[in-house]
Amino acid sequence: MATKFAGKVNAPEFPHGLDWINTESPVQLKDLRGKLVILDFWTYC
């Protein structure tokens, strides 16, 4: 049975001053709207 979620939760905007890798400028959520976004979290262990 599929679960339905009521309402909508918006992600907060990225904080200013972050270091970005492989981008020419900081990323804003409005630039990502309508696109598939994959986040890759890694560690150096």
Short mmCIF file of all heavy atoms in Angstrom, two decimals:
data_model
loop_
_atom_site.label_atom_id
_atom_site.label_comp_id
_atom_site.label_asym_id
_atom_site.label_seq_id
_atom_site.Cartn_x
_atom_site.Cartn_y
_atom_site.Cartn_z
N MET A 1 0.84 -1.18 0.00
CA MET A 1 0.00 0.00 0.00
C MET A 1 0.89 1.24 0.00
O MET A 1 1.81 1.36 0.79
CB MET A 1 -0.89 -0.02 1.24
CG MET A 1 -1.82 1.14 1.31
SD MET A 1 -2.93 0.89 2.72
CE MET A 1 -3.56 2.50 2.85
N ALA A 2 0.62 2.14 -0.90
CA ALA A 2 1.40 3.37 -1.01
C ALA A 2 1.05 4.33 0.13
O ALA A 2 -0.09 4.41 0.56
CB ALA A 2 1.15 4.05 -2.35
N THR A 3 2.05 5.03 0.62
CA THR A 3 1.85 6.01 1.68
C THR A 3 1.71 7.38 1.05
O THR A 3 2.53 7.76 0.22
CB THR A 3 3.03 6.01 2.66
OG1 THR A 3 3.18 4.70 3.18
CG2 THR A 3 2.81 6.99 3.77
N LYS A 4 0.71 8.12 1.45
CA LYS A 4 0.53 9.48 0.96
C LYS A 4 0.99 10.44 2.05
O LYS A 4 0.70 10.25 3.21
CB LYS A 4 -0.92 9.75 0.60
CG LYS A 4 -1.37 8.97 -0.61
CD LYS A 4 -2.78 9.35 -1.00
CE LYS A 4 -3.19 8.59 -2.24
NZ LYS A 4 -4.51 9.00 -2.72
N PHE A 5 1.70 11.45 1.65
CA PHE A 5 2.19 12.45 2.58
C PHE A 5 1.40 13.74 2.38
O PHE A 5 1.26 14.22 1.27
CB PHE A 5 3.68 12.72 2.36
CG PHE A 5 4.53 11.52 2.65
CD1 PHE A 5 4.98 10.70 1.63
CD2 PHE A 5 4.89 11.21 3.96
CE1 PHE A 5 5.75 9.59 1.90
CE2 PHE A 5 5.65 10.10 4.23
CZ PHE A 5 6.09 9.29 3.21
N ALA A 6 0.91 14.26 3.46
CA ALA A 6 0.16 15.51 3.40
C ALA A 6 1.12 16.67 3.58
O ALA A 6 2.04 16.62 4.38
CB ALA A 6 -0.89 15.55 4.49
N GLY A 7 0.93 17.70 2.82
CA GLY A 7 1.76 18.90 2.96
C GLY A 7 3.02 18.83 2.13
O GLY A 7 3.27 17.89 1.39
N LYS A 8 3.83 19.85 2.29
CA LYS A 8 5.05 19.97 1.50
C LYS A 8 6.10 20.61 2.39
O LYS A 8 5.83 21.57 3.10
CB LYS A 8 4.76 20.87 0.30
CG LYS A 8 5.90 21.06 -0.63
CD LYS A 8 5.47 21.94 -1.81
CE LYS A 8 6.62 22.22 -2.72
NZ LYS A 8 6.24 23.07 -3.83
N VAL A 9 7.31 20.07 2.36
CA VAL A 9 8.41 20.62 3.14
C VAL A 9 9.46 21.15 2.18
O VAL A 9 9.95 20.42 1.33
CB VAL A 9 9.03 19.54 4.06
CG1 VAL A 9 10.22 20.10 4.81
CG2 VAL A 9 8.00 19.00 5.02
N ASN A 10 9.78 22.42 2.30
CA ASN A 10 10.79 23.03 1.44
C ASN A 10 12.15 22.93 2.10
O ASN A 10 12.28 23.14 3.30
CB ASN A 10 10.46 24.49 1.17
CG ASN A 10 9.22 24.64 0.33
OD1 ASN A 10 8.95 23.83 -0.54
ND2 ASN A 10 8.43 25.65 0.62
N ALA A 11 13.17 22.62 1.31
CA ALA A 11 14.53 22.56 1.83
C ALA A 11 15.02 23.98 2.10
O ALA A 11 14.68 24.91 1.37
CB ALA A 11 15.44 21.88 0.81
N PRO A 12 15.83 24.15 3.14
CA PRO A 12 16.38 25.49 3.40
C PRO A 12 17.44 25.83 2.37
O PRO A 12 18.07 24.95 1.78
CB PRO A 12 16.99 25.35 4.79
CG PRO A 12 17.28 23.91 4.94
CD PRO A 12 16.25 23.18 4.14
N GLU A 13 17.64 27.10 2.15
CA GLU A 13 18.68 27.57 1.22
C GLU A 13 20.05 27.23 1.80
O GLU A 13 20.23 27.14 3.00
CB GLU A 13 18.55 29.08 1.03
CG GLU A 13 19.35 29.63 -0.13
CD GLU A 13 18.94 29.08 -1.48
OE1 GLU A 13 17.77 29.11 -1.82
OE2 GLU A 13 19.84 28.59 -2.19
N PHE A 14 21.03 27.00 0.93
CA PHE A 14 22.39 26.72 1.38
C PHE A 14 22.97 27.97 2.06
O PHE A 14 22.75 29.08 1.58
CB PHE A 14 23.29 26.35 0.20
CG PHE A 14 22.89 25.06 -0.47
CD1 PHE A 14 22.37 25.08 -1.75
CD2 PHE A 14 23.05 23.84 0.16
CE1 PHE A 14 22.00 23.90 -2.38
CE2 PHE A 14 22.68 22.67 -0.46
CZ PHE A 14 22.15 22.70 -1.74
N PRO A 15 23.71 27.80 3.16
CA PRO A 15 24.31 28.96 3.83
C PRO A 15 25.33 29.66 2.93
O PRO A 15 25.99 29.01 2.12
CB PRO A 15 25.00 28.36 5.05
CG PRO A 15 24.42 27.00 5.22
CD PRO A 15 23.97 26.56 3.87
N HIS A 16 25.46 30.94 3.09
CA HIS A 16 26.45 31.71 2.33
C HIS A 16 27.85 31.40 2.84
O HIS A 16 28.04 31.09 4.02
CB HIS A 16 26.18 33.21 2.46
CG HIS A 16 24.90 33.62 1.82
ND1 HIS A 16 24.76 33.76 0.45
CD2 HIS A 16 23.69 33.90 2.35
CE1 HIS A 16 23.52 34.12 0.18
NE2 HIS A 16 22.84 34.21 1.33
N GLY A 17 28.83 31.46 1.97
CA GLY A 17 30.21 31.26 2.37
C GLY A 17 30.69 29.82 2.31
O GLY A 17 31.80 29.53 2.74
N LEU A 18 29.88 28.90 1.79
CA LEU A 18 30.32 27.51 1.67
C LEU A 18 31.33 27.36 0.54
O LEU A 18 31.30 28.10 -0.44
CB LEU A 18 29.12 26.59 1.38
CG LEU A 18 28.08 26.42 2.48
CD1 LEU A 18 26.96 25.52 1.98
CD2 LEU A 18 28.71 25.83 3.72
N ASP A 19 32.22 26.39 0.66
CA ASP A 19 33.14 26.04 -0.42
C ASP A 19 32.47 25.01 -1.32
O ASP A 19 31.95 24.00 -0.84
CB ASP A 19 34.44 25.47 0.13
CG ASP A 19 35.25 26.49 0.89
OD1 ASP A 19 35.19 27.68 0.51
OD2 ASP A 19 35.94 26.12 1.84
N TRP A 20 32.47 25.27 -2.62
CA TRP A 20 31.84 24.37 -3.58
C TRP A 20 32.90 23.73 -4.45
O TRP A 20 33.87 24.38 -4.84
CB TRP A 20 30.85 25.15 -4.45
CG TRP A 20 29.67 25.61 -3.67
CD1 TRP A 20 29.52 26.81 -3.04
CD2 TRP A 20 28.49 24.86 -3.40
NE1 TRP A 20 28.32 26.86 -2.40
CE2 TRP A 20 27.66 25.69 -2.60
CE3 TRP A 20 28.04 23.61 -3.75
CZ2 TRP A 20 26.40 25.26 -2.16
CZ3 TRP A 20 26.80 23.20 -3.30
CH2 TRP A 20 26.00 24.02 -2.53
N ILE A 21 32.71 22.47 -4.79
CA ILE A 21 33.64 21.71 -5.65
C ILE A 21 32.99 21.54 -7.01
O ILE A 21 31.81 21.20 -7.12
CB ILE A 21 33.95 20.34 -5.03
CG1 ILE A 21 34.60 20.53 -3.65
CG2 ILE A 21 34.85 19.51 -5.93
CD1 ILE A 21 34.79 19.25 -2.88
N ASN A 22 33.75 21.75 -8.07
CA ASN A 22 33.30 21.55 -9.46
C ASN A 22 32.15 22.46 -9.87
O ASN A 22 31.29 22.08 -10.66
CB ASN A 22 32.92 20.10 -9.72
CG ASN A 22 34.10 19.16 -9.60
OD1 ASN A 22 35.23 19.54 -9.87
ND2 ASN A 22 33.84 17.94 -9.18
N THR A 23 32.09 23.65 -9.33
CA THR A 23 31.11 24.65 -9.76
C THR A 23 31.82 25.99 -9.95
O THR A 23 32.81 26.27 -9.30
CB THR A 23 29.98 24.84 -8.73
OG1 THR A 23 30.54 25.32 -7.51
CG2 THR A 23 29.23 23.56 -8.47
N GLU A 24 31.30 26.78 -10.86
CA GLU A 24 31.90 28.10 -11.10
C GLU A 24 31.44 29.13 -10.08
O GLU A 24 32.12 30.11 -9.83
CB GLU A 24 31.54 28.57 -12.51
CG GLU A 24 32.16 27.71 -13.60
CD GLU A 24 31.78 28.20 -14.99
OE1 GLU A 24 31.18 29.27 -15.10
OE2 GLU A 24 32.10 27.49 -15.94
N SER A 25 30.25 28.90 -9.51
CA SER A 25 29.71 29.83 -8.52
C SER A 25 28.90 29.04 -7.50
O SER A 25 28.58 27.87 -7.74
CB SER A 25 28.85 30.88 -9.21
OG SER A 25 27.76 30.26 -9.86
N PRO A 26 28.53 29.65 -6.38
CA PRO A 26 27.72 28.94 -5.39
C PRO A 26 26.39 28.46 -5.99
O PRO A 26 25.83 29.09 -6.88
CB PRO A 26 27.47 29.98 -4.31
CG PRO A 26 28.61 30.94 -4.45
CD PRO A 26 28.92 30.98 -5.92
N VAL A 27 25.90 27.35 -5.49
CA VAL A 27 24.65 26.76 -5.98
C VAL A 27 23.50 27.29 -5.14
O VAL A 27 23.60 27.41 -3.93
CB VAL A 27 24.72 25.22 -5.87
CG1 VAL A 27 23.40 24.59 -6.28
CG2 VAL A 27 25.86 24.67 -6.70
N GLN A 28 22.41 27.62 -5.82
CA GLN A 28 21.19 28.06 -5.14
C GLN A 28 20.08 27.07 -5.48
O GLN A 28 20.04 26.50 -6.58
CB GLN A 28 20.79 29.46 -5.58
CG GLN A 28 21.80 30.51 -5.19
CD GLN A 28 21.37 31.89 -5.62
OE1 GLN A 28 20.51 32.05 -6.49
NE2 GLN A 28 21.95 32.91 -5.00
N LEU A 29 19.17 26.86 -4.56
CA LEU A 29 18.10 25.89 -4.78
C LEU A 29 17.24 26.24 -5.98
O LEU A 29 16.76 25.35 -6.68
CB LEU A 29 17.24 25.77 -3.52
CG LEU A 29 17.92 25.09 -2.34
CD1 LEU A 29 16.97 25.03 -1.16
CD2 LEU A 29 18.41 23.71 -2.69
N LYS A 30 17.05 27.52 -6.24
CA LYS A 30 16.22 27.90 -7.39
C LYS A 30 16.84 27.43 -8.71
O LYS A 30 16.14 27.15 -9.67
CB LYS A 30 15.97 29.41 -7.42
CG LYS A 30 17.21 30.22 -7.69
CD LYS A 30 16.90 31.70 -7.72
CE LYS A 30 18.16 32.47 -8.04
NZ LYS A 30 17.91 33.89 -8.19
N ASP A 31 18.18 27.29 -8.74
CA ASP A 31 18.86 26.80 -9.95
C ASP A 31 18.66 25.29 -10.14
O ASP A 31 18.84 24.78 -11.24
CB ASP A 31 20.36 27.09 -9.87
CG ASP A 31 20.66 28.58 -9.75
OD1 ASP A 31 19.85 29.39 -10.27
OD2 ASP A 31 21.68 28.93 -9.15
N LEU A 32 18.31 24.58 -9.07
CA LEU A 32 18.15 23.13 -9.13
C LEU A 32 16.71 22.69 -9.33
O LEU A 32 16.45 21.51 -9.57
CB LEU A 32 18.69 22.51 -7.83
CG LEU A 32 20.14 22.81 -7.49
CD1 LEU A 32 20.50 22.22 -6.14
CD2 LEU A 32 21.07 22.30 -8.57
N ARG A 33 15.77 23.62 -9.23
CA ARG A 33 14.36 23.26 -9.34
C ARG A 33 14.07 22.58 -10.68
O ARG A 33 14.50 23.04 -11.73
CB ARG A 33 13.50 24.51 -9.20
CG ARG A 33 12.01 24.19 -9.24
CD ARG A 33 11.17 25.27 -8.67
NE ARG A 33 11.40 25.21 -7.21
CZ ARG A 33 11.35 26.26 -6.43
NH1 ARG A 33 11.09 27.43 -6.92
NH2 ARG A 33 11.55 26.14 -5.14
N GLY A 34 13.39 21.43 -10.62
CA GLY A 34 13.03 20.68 -11.82
C GLY A 34 14.12 19.77 -12.33
O GLY A 34 13.96 19.13 -13.36
N LYS A 35 15.23 19.67 -11.61
CA LYS A 35 16.35 18.82 -12.03
C LYS A 35 16.53 17.67 -11.04
O LYS A 35 16.19 17.79 -9.87
CB LYS A 35 17.64 19.63 -12.09
CG LYS A 35 17.59 20.73 -13.11
CD LYS A 35 18.87 21.51 -13.13
CE LYS A 35 18.77 22.64 -14.15
NZ LYS A 35 19.96 23.46 -14.16
N LEU A 36 17.04 16.56 -11.53
CA LEU A 36 17.39 15.44 -10.68
C LEU A 36 18.73 15.75 -10.02
O LEU A 36 19.70 16.06 -10.71
CB LEU A 36 17.50 14.15 -11.49
CG LEU A 36 17.96 12.93 -10.73
CD1 LEU A 36 16.92 12.55 -9.69
CD2 LEU A 36 18.20 11.79 -11.68
N VAL A 37 18.78 15.70 -8.70
CA VAL A 37 19.99 16.04 -7.96
C VAL A 37 20.43 14.83 -7.15
O VAL A 37 19.63 14.25 -6.41
CB VAL A 37 19.75 17.23 -7.01
CG1 VAL A 37 20.98 17.55 -6.20
CG2 VAL A 37 19.28 18.44 -7.81
N ILE A 38 21.69 14.43 -7.31
CA ILE A 38 22.25 13.31 -6.54
C ILE A 38 23.33 13.88 -5.63
O ILE A 38 24.26 14.54 -6.08
CB ILE A 38 22.86 12.25 -7.48
CG1 ILE A 38 21.77 11.69 -8.39
CG2 ILE A 38 23.53 11.16 -6.66
CD1 ILE A 38 22.28 10.76 -9.45
N LEU A 39 23.17 13.63 -4.34
CA LEU A 39 24.16 14.07 -3.36
C LEU A 39 25.04 12.89 -2.99
O LEU A 39 24.54 11.81 -2.71
CB LEU A 39 23.47 14.62 -2.10
CG LEU A 39 22.57 15.82 -2.30
CD1 LEU A 39 21.90 16.18 -1.00
CD2 LEU A 39 23.35 17.00 -2.84
N ASP A 40 26.33 13.11 -3.00
CA ASP A 40 27.28 12.05 -2.65
C ASP A 40 28.08 12.50 -1.44
O ASP A 40 28.86 13.44 -1.53
CB ASP A 40 28.20 11.78 -3.84
CG ASP A 40 29.16 10.65 -3.59
OD1 ASP A 40 28.97 9.90 -2.62
OD2 ASP A 40 30.10 10.49 -4.39
N PHE A 41 27.86 11.85 -0.32
CA PHE A 41 28.59 12.16 0.92
C PHE A 41 29.66 11.10 1.07
O PHE A 41 29.40 9.92 0.98
CB PHE A 41 27.65 12.14 2.12
CG PHE A 41 26.58 13.18 2.05
CD1 PHE A 41 25.34 12.90 1.51
CD2 PHE A 41 26.82 14.45 2.52
CE1 PHE A 41 24.36 13.86 1.45
CE2 PHE A 41 25.85 15.44 2.47
CZ PHE A 41 24.61 15.13 1.93
N TRP A 42 30.89 11.53 1.30
CA TRP A 42 31.97 10.57 1.43
C TRP A 42 32.88 10.97 2.57
O TRP A 42 32.86 12.08 3.05
CB TRP A 42 32.76 10.45 0.13
CG TRP A 42 33.65 11.64 -0.14
CD1 TRP A 42 34.96 11.74 0.20
CD2 TRP A 42 33.31 12.87 -0.76
NE1 TRP A 42 35.46 12.96 -0.18
CE2 TRP A 42 34.47 13.68 -0.76
CE3 TRP A 42 32.14 13.39 -1.30
CZ2 TRP A 42 34.48 14.95 -1.29
CZ3 TRP A 42 32.17 14.66 -1.83
CH2 TRP A 42 33.33 15.43 -1.83
N THR A 43 33.71 10.01 2.98
CA THR A 43 34.73 10.28 3.99
C THR A 43 36.06 9.81 3.45
O THR A 43 36.13 9.04 2.49
CB THR A 43 34.43 9.55 5.31
OG1 THR A 43 34.44 8.15 5.06
CG2 THR A 43 33.09 9.97 5.89
N TYR A 44 37.14 10.26 4.06
CA TYR A 44 38.47 9.89 3.62
C TYR A 44 39.07 8.78 4.49
O TYR A 44 40.25 8.73 4.74
CB TYR A 44 39.40 11.10 3.67
CG TYR A 44 39.05 12.14 2.64
CD1 TYR A 44 38.43 13.33 3.01
CD2 TYR A 44 39.33 11.95 1.29
CE1 TYR A 44 38.10 14.29 2.08
CE2 TYR A 44 39.02 12.91 0.35
CZ TYR A 44 38.39 14.06 0.75
OH TYR A 44 38.08 15.02 -0.17
N CYS A 45 38.22 7.86 4.96
CA CYS A 45 38.75 6.82 5.82
C CYS A 45 39.06 5.54 5.04
O CYS A 45 38.69 5.34 3.96
CB CYS A 45 37.78 6.50 6.94
SG CYS A 45 36.17 5.98 6.42
#
